[in-house]
Amino acid sequence: MDLTELEAWSQDPERSGGDLRVWLSLLDPTSREGLVRLLQAPLLEKRSFGLQLLSSWTGERILDQVGALITTADGRSTGALLQSTLRQVLRDQNSVTALELLKAVPTRQLVLRLDALLSLAQQWPGQIALQRDALSGLQWLNLPRLGRHPAPVPDGHSPSPRRLMLKVVHRSTPLAVEVWPSQRSGSSPWVLLMPGLGGDPDQLGWLAAALADRGWPVVVLEHPGSDAKAMQASLDGKRPPPGAESLPDRLADLQAVLSAGSRGELGRFGPGQTGEEGVVLMGHSLGALTALLGAGLKPEDGLERRCRRALERLPLTNPSQLLQCQIQEVPELARLTSRSRRTPVTAVVGFNSFGALLWPRAGLKPLRIPVMLVGGSLDLITPAINEQLRPFTRVSDPRSRLVLIQGASHFSPVRIPEQNQAVFQLGEDLVGVEPRRVQNLLLNLTVDFLLSLEQPQRLSPQERSQEGIRAWVLDRRRARDLLGWLPRDPDQP
């Protein structure tokens, strides 16, 4: 089809002429309207951000995959051609649509591989079917049903945390940390809490305040270079989007805070609490991966081979695979994960964690400590079945638990203090159920898991209902039963 004619049709489908209008009129109205929106929508709305994205590892991988879908007339990939053309177009205009990009490519003819495009699109119904099967499988497990009254999550930060600036050797400026002392006496381990990619301590302040109020001192890390400021700088076109290259600094931050705690530089954590009781590493998304790596879990050999297969097409339903595959470009990671610690790690808690490509065979087995992984049925970034269930089935410690929450999304644990809501408000279909109710449930489950470190029956396998939200708590045996019940996922390397 002629691209100029297609552009004219997208601007006025009813009045455009030519055979193309006749063929496209055969589409049903919803599909026709969707195609018009797709052709008119900008691929990139801001020149500065687009140029930074093109300079990033992730941007190059995405264009490589798109280049395999749109080829030249002789079948060659257009990945490099699209990249150079997009750079040129963005130098002349601030935004670019798909049609503008295709018209600018210096070739007379382009071929859209519909077979590959349809195969790519099948990831969505495949993931939906897998999620539906998983929910059926959870019912089949027939776990004991328990109901709990919600534990109120503090609205404000009272008392406010102490903000410390630690001098660290791997950064030119001091590292900011928030210390939430416990208001209760006791000998509990303290919690080191880490935000996800583009996250800030304030987004997890609700959890830090609630845990400190219940007896667990919390230290919240801020990761310059992969925090909200870094993400905003990327959107402003001042730097490439942060990715897996930030992991060495994140792990060094973790090690520096653990060392500071062992030297007493974080101060007392509360009445009778010195920090010598050990630490629970806890994080969201990339923060959860940092916690697992910081506890000693190392990527298994063969990541490059696994990534070649995983990235044969765009991971639309599991974008975390891009971050996992970028790790092979970070050679200093192995040295940092093997560094010794004076503060014993007593457990790991990961909200919306990922790593199925990193440890596909041993899973979490090398960790000899309790682990709790939490995933949501609407997580479109780190899908729970592949990224949490599969690694968990090989966990070692019998106190470990996997929690699957119906209706929760990747951003359910995150709260923006100014708005007192989730990061995005796009409706339950994409973001999940109201985040406050999910966070109340997450708090109860996290508290029960921390108590189960000393009282193993505190968090037994169960189906829990709270404020209309259902969650399933699985041990290793039930997780294996669920995985064995599910059909094989053809997209899993």
Side-chain angles (χ1 to χ4, degrees), residues 7 9 55 83 204 213 230 253 257 306 373 380 420 455 471:
E7 184 175 37
W9 176 85
S55 302
Q83 186 173 18
L204 297 176
D213 184 61
D253 293 342
V257 172
R306 296 191 294 275
L373 300 185
L380 305 179
N420 213 19
Q455 310 166 27

Side-chain angles (χ1 to χ4, degrees), residues 119-134:
S119 176
L120 185 66
Q122 284 301 313
Q123 290 186 53
W124 288 105
Q127 191 62 231
I128 292 172
L130 186 63
Q131 173 184 310
R132 183 178 61 246
D133 290 338

Side-chain angles (χ1 to χ4, degrees), residues 49 52-59 171 196-200 223-250 285-286 319-320 322-324 326-327 330 354:
F49 171 70
Q52 292 292 350
L53 180 62
L54 290 174
S55 302
S56 70
W57 187 92
T58 298
R171 293 188 183 274
L197 185 65
D200 272 346
H223 296 290
S226 59
D227 56 1
K229 291 180 181 178
M231 193 64 74
Q232 187 60 51
S234 173
L235 295 174
D236 293 339
K238 298 177 181 178
R239 53 158 292 168
E245 78 286 342
S246 65
L247 275 171
D249 278 342
R250 280 177 166 254
S285 192
L286 188 64
S320 75
L322 287 167
L323 275 176
Q324 294 179 64
Q326 190 187 0
I327 286 178
V330 188
F354 57 96

Side-chain angles (χ1 to χ4, degrees), residues 247-252 254-255 258 281 289-300 327 330-341 345 358-359 367:
L247 275 171
D249 278 342
R250 280 177 166 254
L251 284 166
L254 182 155
Q255 298 288 355
L258 292 182
L281 301 182
L289 178 62
T290 306
L292 291 169
L293 293 171
L297 204 56
K298 300 179 182 179
E300 296 176 10
I327 286 178
V330 188
E332 62 268 39
L333 198 61
R335 175 178 57 83
L336 289 166
T337 56
S338 61
R339 187 176 296 181
S340 61
R341 296 175 298 268
V345 176
L358 302 180
W359 30 79
L367 293 182

Side-chain angles (χ1 to χ4, degrees), residues 153-203:
V153 177
D155 288 323
H157 297 168
S158 179
S160 299
R162 298 197 315 267
R163 187 173 176 86
L164 303 178
M165 305 300 293
L166 297 178
K167 291 184 178 181
V168 294
V169 297
H170 63 285
R171 293 188 183 274
S172 58
T173 57
L175 180 67
V177 297
E178 289 183 355
V179 180
W180 295 78
S182 171
Q183 303 307 302
R184 301 184 181 184
S185 60
S187 57
S188 302
W190 58 285
V191 174
L192 182 55
L193 183 58
M194 290 162 283
L197 185 65
D200 272 346
D202 284 347
Q203 296 175 1

Side-chain angles (χ1 to χ4, degrees), residues 233-486:
S234 173
L235 295 174
D236 293 339
K238 298 177 181 178
R239 53 158 292 168
E245 78 286 342
S246 65
L247 275 171
D249 278 342
R250 280 177 166 254
L251 284 166
D253 293 342
L254 182 155
Q255 298 288 355
V257 172
L258 292 182
S259 297
S262 67
R263 294 193 299 267
E265 295 178 11
L266 301 179
R268 296 188 66 84
F269 291 105
Q273 299 196 8
T274 63
E276 298 177 356
E277 296 82 3
V279 62
V280 176
L281 301 182
M282 188 178 300
H284 172 247
S285 192
L286 188 64
L289 178 62
T290 306
L292 291 169
L293 293 171
L297 204 56
K298 300 179 182 179
E300 296 176 10
D301 294 338
L303 179 59
E304 182 179 359
R305 171 181 50 79
R306 296 191 294 275
C307 285
R308 276 199 305 270
R309 180 180 173 187
L311 300 185
E312 286 178 352
R313 56 182 181 175
L314 282 172
L316 292 180
T317 57
N318 189 353
S320 75
Q321 289 184 336
L322 287 167
L323 275 176
Q324 294 179 64
C325 290
Q326 190 187 0
I327 286 178
Q328 59 188 317
E329 307 291 327
V330 188
E332 62 268 39
L333 198 61
R335 175 178 57 83
L336 289 166
T337 56
S338 61
R339 187 176 296 181
S340 61
R341 296 175 298 268
R342 291 179 57 188
T343 303
V345 176
T346 59
V348 173
V349 177
F351 304 108
N352 308 94
S353 63
F354 57 96
L357 284 176
L358 302 180
W359 30 79
R361 292 182 294 275
L364 305 183
K365 187 175 181 179
L367 293 182
R368 303 297 179 179
I369 55 176
V371 178
M372 183 173 81
L373 300 185
V374 181
S377 66
L378 293 182
D379 190 340
L380 305 179
I381 310 298
T382 59
I385 302 305
N386 284 335
E387 295 303 326
Q388 288 115 51
L389 173 61
R390 294 183 188 278
F392 181 85
T393 55
R394 300 174 184 86
V395 75
S396 294
D397 195 292
R399 294 169 293 177
S400 295
R401 295 292 183 264
L402 172 68
V403 178
L404 301 176
I405 303 177
Q406 186 173 9
S409 77
H410 190 76
F411 300 104
S412 292
V414 176
R415 184 185 299 181
I416 299 179
E418 294 80 4
Q419 301 173 351
N420 213 19
Q421 60 185 17
V423 177
F424 302 117
Q425 290 296 299
L426 302 175
E428 289 192 2
D429 289 344
L430 292 178
V431 175
V433 296
E434 204 282 318
R436 279 299 194 93
R437 290 188 290 149
V438 176
Q439 290 166 9
N440 287 338
L441 177 59
L442 284 176
L443 174 59
N444 268 342
L445 291 166
T446 303
V447 168
D448 283 350
F449 175 73
L450 293 176
L451 290 173
S452 74
L453 300 180
E454 301 298 331
Q455 310 166 27
Q457 297 306 313
R458 176 77 185 199
L459 192 59
S460 59
Q462 60 188 262
E463 177 185 334
R464 181 175 296 194
S465 178
Q466 179 178 307
E467 296 184 277
I469 301 176
R470 300 169 72 187
W472 288 264
V473 180
L474 310 181
D475 58 7
R476 179 179 56 192
R477 180 173 68 83
R478 270 80 168 192
R480 290 176 175 176
D481 289 343
L482 176 61
L483 186 60
W485 192 86
L486 293 172

